[in-house]
Amino acid sequence: QVQLQESGPGLVKPSQTLSLTCTVSGDSVTSGGYYWSWIRQPPGKGLEWIGYIYYSGSTYYNPSLKSRISISVDTSKNQVSLKLTSVTAADTAVYYCARGSMVGNYFFDYWGQGTLVTVSA
Amino acid sequence: DIQMTQSPSSLSASVGDRVTITCRASQTIDNFLNWYQQKAGKAPKLLIHAASSLQSGVPSRFSGSGSGTEFNLTISSLQPEDFVTYYCHQSYSVPDSFGQGTKLEIK
């Protein structure tokens, strides 16, 4: 059974860098055909796709956040990481990691439970 | 970027009712449309992928239809646990985008 678990600080100060880790179990982050994604949800609002890293290492980021995002993998720990720089209160959200599977179509079939990150001084 | 417009944003219904939620894309997305269910405080759960393919383990009262720019999620007979929030998601082109959500409420 594939499981994803996000971890990281729950509170980040404005202008600092948000760093989260997603630990994957039951699958390998280098398995072919998967897009390891980050998605966020501000409190009481909808879902926003942040970006993904493909198993090959290629990345694609949401243009609205592109200049501030970095997604990487640590194959030795089977983890996917997200860094978001220069955060503001608008970056306060529950951050989810999810596995994107390509079976004809492409969809998120496994999600972490999410971690709330609050940006505040 | 592709914009996804979901309607209605909220819907009041009763147990046993049949309901339909609609998602419209700002341009054609073929069948690259997925539906998720989200319970309060939980991660979204995949219900339907490729517009009409039921994800394994999802009850058959959920069904999806459509292609191109207009898609529907239908729940044939609402159960108490279905009164939560639903999102559509286009994966036709990056950046991926989601509808704004539809909250199902008990009448």
Side-chain angles (χ1 to χ4, degrees):
Chain A
Q1 176 74 346
V2 179
Q3 292 184 319
L4 292 78
Q5 175 81 49
E6 303 90 349
S7 59
L11 181 64
V12 181
K13 289 181 168 48
S15 80
Q16 293 190 342
T17 296
L18 178 160
S19 296
L20 297 175
T21 298
C22 174
T23 301
V24 178
S25 59
D27 196 1
S28 168
V29 296
T30 58
S31 294
Y34 296 125
Y35 300 75
W36 301 96
S37 304
W38 287 94
I39 295 153
R40 69 181 183 178
Q41 185 171 36
K45 296 187 178 180
L47 300 162
E48 180 184 26
W49 180 79
I50 297 171
Y52 68 62
I53 186 164
Y54 195 40
Y55 78 102
S56 62
S58 60
T59 54
Y60 197 95
Y61 303 139
N62 192 321
S64 67
L65 301 167
K66 186 176 182 179
S67 62
R68 299 195 290 132
I69 305 173
S70 174
I71 298 176
S72 60
V73 296
D74 183 334
T75 56
S76 66
K77 297 180 180 179
N78 213 36
Q79 293 176 335
V80 183
S81 294
L82 169 70
K83 291 189 187 302
L84 180 64
T85 62
S86 305
V87 298
T88 69
D91 295 310
T92 293
V94 175
Y95 286 76
Y96 296 101
C97 60
R99 189 183 81 168
S101 292
M102 177 67 80
V103 181
N105 192 1
Y106 150 63
F107 48 86
F108 301 118
D109 56 355
Y110 289 97
W111 296 65
Q113 86 284 0
T115 187
L116 174 63
V117 179
T118 302
V119 178
S120 175
Chain B
D1 297 1
I2 297 174
Q3 309 303 316
M4 304 302 294
T5 303
Q6 216 174 309
S7 60
S9 56
S10 64
L11 177 59
S12 293
S14 301
V15 173
D17 283 354
R18 177 186 179 93
V19 298
T20 296
I21 299 167
T22 298
C23 193
R24 291 185 174 86
S26 59
Q27 64 187 74
T28 184
I29 58 172
D30 291 345
N31 71 334
F32 284 73
L33 191 285
N34 310 304
W35 290 98
Y36 301 85
Q37 177 192 66
Q38 187 177 34
K39 298 180 179 179
K42 300 294 186 182
K45 171 190 173 184
L46 178 67
L47 297 177
I48 303 281
H49 60 92
S52 60
S53 295
L54 192 67
Q55 175 69 353
S56 176
V58 174
S60 60
R61 64 181 181 273
F62 293 93
S63 64
S65 63
S67 67
T69 62
E70 187 159 332
F71 302 86
N72 292 321
L73 171 69
T74 298
I75 310 173
S76 60
S77 179
L78 282 169
Q79 299 302 300
E81 62 268 28
D82 299 338
F83 290 89
V84 292
T85 302
Y86 296 85
Y87 292 94
C88 62
H89 158 233
Q90 72 80 18
S91 56
Y92 180 78
S93 68
V94 286
D96 291 31
S97 49
F98 293 87
Q100 73 274 29
T102 295
K103 184 175 183 179
L104 274 185
E105 299 171 323
I106 298 178
K107 188 182 291 184

